[in-house]
């Protein structure tokens, strides 16, 4: 609990700095930064990088449902970095976007038109460009957007307040356009297999602090968050060969499926499609908390959803996951832009 409260205070300072245009909060001393940079250089020799172009998953999912209803298809957009793009796998059906589009189609019983503008290697300052792409066609504004971003901000040492400011602005612009927004917060970089101490500890600390600060910025911008860090953390550490891809950095197909199963309930709930009630269940550790406390707790417990309530409160939920359906072949011609 003391660690959670400390993380909550730092996350609030980062989010406040972001709101007022500050550059960032110094989380590490000069000596620690020197150690970090040395370890990063060593880690880069063993952590692979992938130059493969992620498979394009754009298209229509659940097309068969279109014959049963005259309702228009749902539109799902994806923004972010290589994780959002699906780098590390080679089949369209293994990407997180395809998995979530198929899951949304199955639960809504509607076709889903999916479009992904995520860019491998992107940092949060690329989100403005991606939002422009996503909102460029007034006739195809998404009903809901998923953003996965943050890992490259940590590894490239972007000031956390700057990172949160870019993300919060993207959320506000998407919400103003009528999109629901779900953000998968910064993953736990302390789980990358070839990274050793002290870099592992530093990476974990920085990524969890950023995840908590991201949650505050997203909630205040009208979006929802799902913590990916600790969700994947223990599973990646226990089964790295299964959940990491060949480059030891990006998730494998099973890793992406784990992340998608965590995001799907929140994605559906944002559209009123999830069967669970919004009321918290105290027996499951759910409840109304101050925003910064909810953000800090979510950063340490993967799969946790944080949704805005009456300020300064937020709703912390642990939605039950469902098995994802197997993505079907897409019809790329059905998506414009």
């Amino acid at each position: 609990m003391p660690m959670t409260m400390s993380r909550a205070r730092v996350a609030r300072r980062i989010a406040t700095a972001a709101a007022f245009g500050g550059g960032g909060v110094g989380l590490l001393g000069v000596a620690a930064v020197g150690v970090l940079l040395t370890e990063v250089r060593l880690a880069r020799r063993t952590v692979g990088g992938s130059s493969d172009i992620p498979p394009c998953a754009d298209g229509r999912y659940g097309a068969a449902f279109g014959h049963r209803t005259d309702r228009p298809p749902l539109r799902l957009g994806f923004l972010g970095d290589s994780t959002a793009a699906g780098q590390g796998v080679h089949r369209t059906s293994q990407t997180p976007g395809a998995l979530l589009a198929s899951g949304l189609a199955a639960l809504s019983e509607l076709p889903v038109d999916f479009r992904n503008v995520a860019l491998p290697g992107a940092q949060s300052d690329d989100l403005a460009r991606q939002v422009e792409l996503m909102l460029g066609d007034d006739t195809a504004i998404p009903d809901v957007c998923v953003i996965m971003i943050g890992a490259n901000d940590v590894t490239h040492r972007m000031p956390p307040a700057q990172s949160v400011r870019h993300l919060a602005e993207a959320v506000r612009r998407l919400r103003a356009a009528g999109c629901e927004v779900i953000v998968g917060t910064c993953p736990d970089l302390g789980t990358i297999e070839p990274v050793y101490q002290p870099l592992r500890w530093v990476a974990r600390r920085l990524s969890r602090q950023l995840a908590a600060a991201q949650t505050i910025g997203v909630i205040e911008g009208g979006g929802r968050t799902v913590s990916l860090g600790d969700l994947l953390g223990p599973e990646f550490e226990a089964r790295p060969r299964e959940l990491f891809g060949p480059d030891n950095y990006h998730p494998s197909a099973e890793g992406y499926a784990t992340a998608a199963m965590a995001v799907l309930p929140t994605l559906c709930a944002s559209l009123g499609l999830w069967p669970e009630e919004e009321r918290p269940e105290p027996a499951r550790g759910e409840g109304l908390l101050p925003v910064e406390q909810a953000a800090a707790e979510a950063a340490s417990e993967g799969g946790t959803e944080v949704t805005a309530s009456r300020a300064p409160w937020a709703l912390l939920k642990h939605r039950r996951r469902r098995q994802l359906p197997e993505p079907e072949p897409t019809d790329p011609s059905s998506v414009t832009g």
Side-chain angles (χ1 to χ4, degrees), residues 54-57 86 88-96 98 253 326-327:
C56 179
V89 296
H90 301 287
R91 293 171 54 193
T92 295
S93 61
Q94 297 171 332
T95 63
E326 182 70 23

Side-chain angles (χ1 to χ4, degrees), residues 82-199:
S82 57
T83 302
Q87 191 155 22
V89 296
H90 301 287
R91 293 171 54 193
T92 295
S93 61
Q94 297 171 332
T95 63
L99 291 165
L100 284 173
S102 295
L104 179 58
L107 284 166
S108 66
E109 297 188 347
L110 289 170
V112 172
D113 286 343
F114 174 70
R115 186 179 179 213
N116 196 334
V117 298
L119 178 68
Q123 300 177 54
S124 292
D125 56 5
D126 190 57
L127 288 175
R129 182 191 64 83
Q130 295 183 30
V131 170
E132 287 290 339
L133 289 174
M134 191 61 70
L135 301 181
D137 183 354
D138 292 339
T139 66
I141 301 297
D143 297 292
V144 59
C145 286
V146 174
I147 303 174
M148 295 180 178
I149 199 82
N152 295 318
D153 296 9
V154 174
T155 59
H156 289 77
R157 294 181 293 150
M158 176 180 286
Q162 181 179 335
S163 173
V164 172
R165 184 163 61 249
H166 289 304
L167 175 59
E169 177 59 26
V171 172
R172 285 192 293 269
R173 288 181 62 194
L174 291 168
R175 293 290 291 131
C179 306
E180 297 293 335
V181 182
I182 293 91
V183 175
T185 54
C186 182
D188 185 349
L189 299 179
T191 62
I192 299 173
E193 189 189 22
V195 176
Y196 304 106
Q197 300 292 9
L199 178 58

